[in-house]
Each structure stands twice: as C-alpha cells, then as structure tokens.
Amino acid sequence: MTYLDYQATTPLAPEAVEAMLPWLNAGFANPHSAHAAGRKAKAAVEAAREAVADLMPDNGNVSFTSGATEALNWAIKGSTGPIVTIATEHAAVLDTVAAEVRRGREVTVLPVGSDGLVELAAAREAIRPGTGLVAVMLVNNEIGTVQPIEELAALTKQAGALLLCDAVQGYGREIIPAECDLVAVSAHKVHGPKGVGALWIRDGVRLEPLLHGGGQEPGGRSGTLSPALCAGFGAAAMLAKQRFGADRGHVAQLFRKAYQALGGSGWTLNGSMDDRYPGNLNMRYPGLDVARLMSDLRDIAFSAGSACASGSGRPSHVLKAMGLSDIDARSSIRLGFGRYTTEEELLAAVERIDAAAREQRFAA
C-alpha cells in the first residue's frame, strides 16, 4: 500500500509508540491520583504538556482534550459575542458555529477567492468592535492553503476580539503565529496517536467549560487523561520540533516532483500555488470519475477531500467556496505526503494515477 492521505491521518512515529508502551502496561495509574503511582503518571502527562507547548506561542497553557474537534467546540462555545469565520473552515468549526446560530449567536462567514485565500476586504468589514471571536484555519485540510493569519490577527486585535486558530494541519509544520489567543491541535496529524488533542489558551483568556466535572485541566476541562496518549503526543511533538526543517524540506521536494509530473498533463492545481503547505497536492482533471479512480487503484491510499466528510456524496464545500462547479469539485483528488513518504513511491503512484485518469478520458 502506498499511503498518500497524510491530511486524514499520519503514520504513528516509532518514537511515539515507544513513549506510550510503559503507560499501557505497568504505568496504568490515574494521573489525577495523589499516590506515588498517580504522581508518576502525572509527571509523564506534564512532560508531554511541555513538549506540546514547545511548538506553541509563549504566554499560554496547553489543556489536553480528546482531539481537535473537542478543542474547537470548547473554544467556540466557551467564548462570547459575535463570531467571524471563513467558508473553507473544517466542519468542526462550521457545524459548531451553525449550532451557535441556532442558540441566537451572530455569525459571519467570510468568502474566499479562487485561490482559497480569505477576501481581506470582507474581513475588514466584518471584524469590527463588538466581535467576540475570529476562527480561522492556519493550513486548509483539503487544499493546503495557508491563510494570512497576521493580517487577520491585526484586525482581530483592533476589534478587541479573540483569535482562534485551527492549527490541526499546521502544527509541527508551520510556525504558529504569536498573535493567536486560542490554538486547537490534534496528535494524530503529527505522527502521534488518535484520541488526544489540545487547546492552547493564552494567559488571561477565560472560557466557559465544555465538559463539567473535576476540572482537571488548566483551562477547566474535565475528564481523566490517558498518560499513554499524552506521552505519545508529547513524543510526536518533540520529534516534530527536532525535524521541523528536515520534514519541511522533504515535503517541499516531494511537492515539486509530483506537481512537475502532473502539472503539464491536463491536471489543474486547486488552491494557491504560493501560499500553501507543500505536503498537500489537490488537483483536478476534466471529467474524472474519482470513485472509479480509487477503485482502480486500491493499493494507493488517497482522498477525494476531507476524510471527515467522506461518503456524504456532496461536492467539497471548500472547492465550491472557491467557485468550482460541482463537476470540477467532484473531479478533484487530494494527495497528502510527509515524513515517511519516499520520492520513488510518490512518483510511481502519481504516474499510475495520471495513466488511469487518461484512460478514463479516452474511454469516454
């Protein structure tokens, strides 16, 4: 199997597996217990918290969650005032703000251009005094576009609002902008385990709890933490920091090679060429039947869009927001690659994808 779906999830790093094993065996104690075994488990959690925080801005605290979906829900529902967000955000943001609308909260969804970047003129109009929260994705999970966080942060600060950054796809791959007030991340997108994420909360920011109970986490989140999951996340974060430049250079080289192989053969890039994370290659091919393509190439794992929306039958809301037709949106594929992808396997897969797409076209 050639795995090219890094935006859906990443392979678990061996270092993360190694870090988890002791806490899956003898180190099973509750990290919130006062006895010696509990204190030892707590120490592992705190070491992991520090490692995750090392990739965040200064002057804040990491609260562990069950994943980024919980972190985003907490940040949005725990804040107050009108919300401004972007049409290409993840469903964990868009569906949550839609739920807030039903509760009577004002929400403005900003449009994007054909490159997937937010329209800053609309942002200037919408982000005004009285706004409570601006929610923006750093790296888009479908098209890899990197939004202009610094410009949006300046508008947010002028308005006296909080800036929530969905950094799920950018954490460990891009520098998290220092201007953020809230940052949501997920371990399994950086070679850590599934089932654990975090919300970084700037000092002085207060959120209403999403989950009520013991209030174990610094931000007030309740629930017993898994030392194993936290340790795996911490190890993955530490490795991402150590390998930041090497990983970035590797995916940039893979992007250049893959785009060169497809760019001149009828494929069109979706999203900005310049403002993007290079580990994401979203391309469309005229008249492509993606379901048939995936069936013909079952030993290559790639995506037609977000894994969270797979099976819905609807064209990608991200591609539609960029102005693509239903046909073009449904004729698009997403290739995601990273640390453990080799150039040889990527180019072999791209060659087969291109050949299968051409065969479809000539057979039509």
Side-chain angles (χ1 to χ4, degrees), residues 10-24 187-188 190-194 196 227-240 339-340:
T10 56
L12 192 58
E15 294 86 347
V17 175
E18 190 69 23
M20 293 170 66
L21 289 177
W23 309 105
L24 291 170
H188 77 98
V190 287
H191 305 287
K194 298 172 182 65
V196 62
L229 292 179
C230 293
F233 192 1
M238 187 179 301
L239 192 61
R339 180 183 301 160
Y340 304 118

Side-chain angles (χ1 to χ4, degrees), residues 35-345:
H35 48 64
R39 292 196 303 272
K40 186 175 180 180
K42 180 178 176 60
V45 169
E46 295 310 313
R49 192 189 310 279
E50 183 176 340
V52 173
D54 274 349
L55 286 166
M56 297 291 194
D58 295 328
N59 304 317
N61 284 292
V62 165
S63 288
F64 286 114
T65 64
S66 62
T69 295
E70 181 193 329
L72 291 166
N73 270 261
W74 181 14
I76 293 168
K77 294 179 179 179
S79 62
T80 60
I83 302 169
V84 176
T85 190
I86 302 175
T88 52
E89 295 297 302
H90 191 277
V93 168
L94 294 179
D95 287 0
T96 304
V97 300
E100 290 295 276
V101 168
R102 293 192 290 272
R103 295 172 55 188
R105 200 167 174 188
E106 180 185 343
V107 173
T108 301
V109 179
L110 300 174
V112 299
S114 59
D115 56 3
L117 295 173
V118 65
E119 294 186 359
L120 285 173
R124 295 187 189 98
E125 180 69 23
I127 304 173
R128 56 189 185 275
T131 300
L133 182 74
V134 177
V136 57
M137 186 184 286
L138 175 58
V139 176
N140 188 273
N141 60 305
E142 291 198 31
I143 57 173
T145 299
V146 177
Q147 293 292 354
I149 300 289
E150 287 78 8
E151 289 90 337
L152 294 171
L155 296 173
T156 302
K157 184 176 180 180
Q158 291 171 10
L162 297 177
L163 180 63
L164 165 62
C165 179
D166 174 355
V168 170
Q169 299 291 338
Y171 180 75
R173 298 165 177 158
E174 300 280 341
I175 300 297
I176 305 297
E179 300 87 351
C180 298
D181 297 297
L182 301 159
V183 181
V185 295
S186 181
H188 77 98
K189 301 301 175 75
V190 287
H191 305 287
K194 298 172 182 65
V196 62
L199 181 65
W200 178 88
I201 305 173
R202 180 175 296 284
D203 293 342
V205 173
R206 297 289 179 266
L207 297 174
E208 283 296 313
L210 180 67
L211 303 176
H212 296 85
Q216 289 92 338
E217 283 298 272
R221 191 261 190 186
S222 297
T224 300
L225 294 176
S226 163
L229 292 179
C230 293
F233 192 1
M238 187 179 301
L239 192 61
K241 183 176 181 179
Q242 294 169 352
R243 294 185 53 89
F244 188 89
D247 283 351
R248 180 76 185 205
H250 179 59
V251 296
Q253 173 69 1
L254 293 179
F255 180 89
R256 285 192 293 269
K257 292 290 187 177
Y259 181 73
Q260 183 179 19
L262 291 176
S265 58
W267 293 85
T268 302
L269 181 71
N270 292 325
S272 172
M273 170 59 94
D274 299 320
D275 299 307
R276 71 181 302 115
Y277 166 67
N280 177 307
L281 182 61
N282 192 307
M283 304 284 282
R284 66 182 186 271
Y285 191 85
L288 181 65
D289 183 337
V290 175
R292 177 181 163 189
L293 183 71
M294 296 177 77
S295 178
D296 290 343
L297 302 172
R298 295 184 185 183
D299 59 334
I300 304 175
F302 61 97
S303 174
S306 170
C308 302
S310 64
S312 69
R314 299 188 301 270
S316 162
H317 75 280
V318 172
L319 299 182
K320 291 283 289 178
M322 292 164 53
L324 269 65
S325 67
D326 284 3
I327 292 175
D328 282 343
R330 288 195 170 100
S331 299
S332 299
I333 64 170
R334 181 186 68 182
L335 305 180
F337 33 85
R339 180 183 301 160
Y340 304 118
T341 311
T342 68
E343 183 176 317
E344 292 75 19
E345 68 177 337

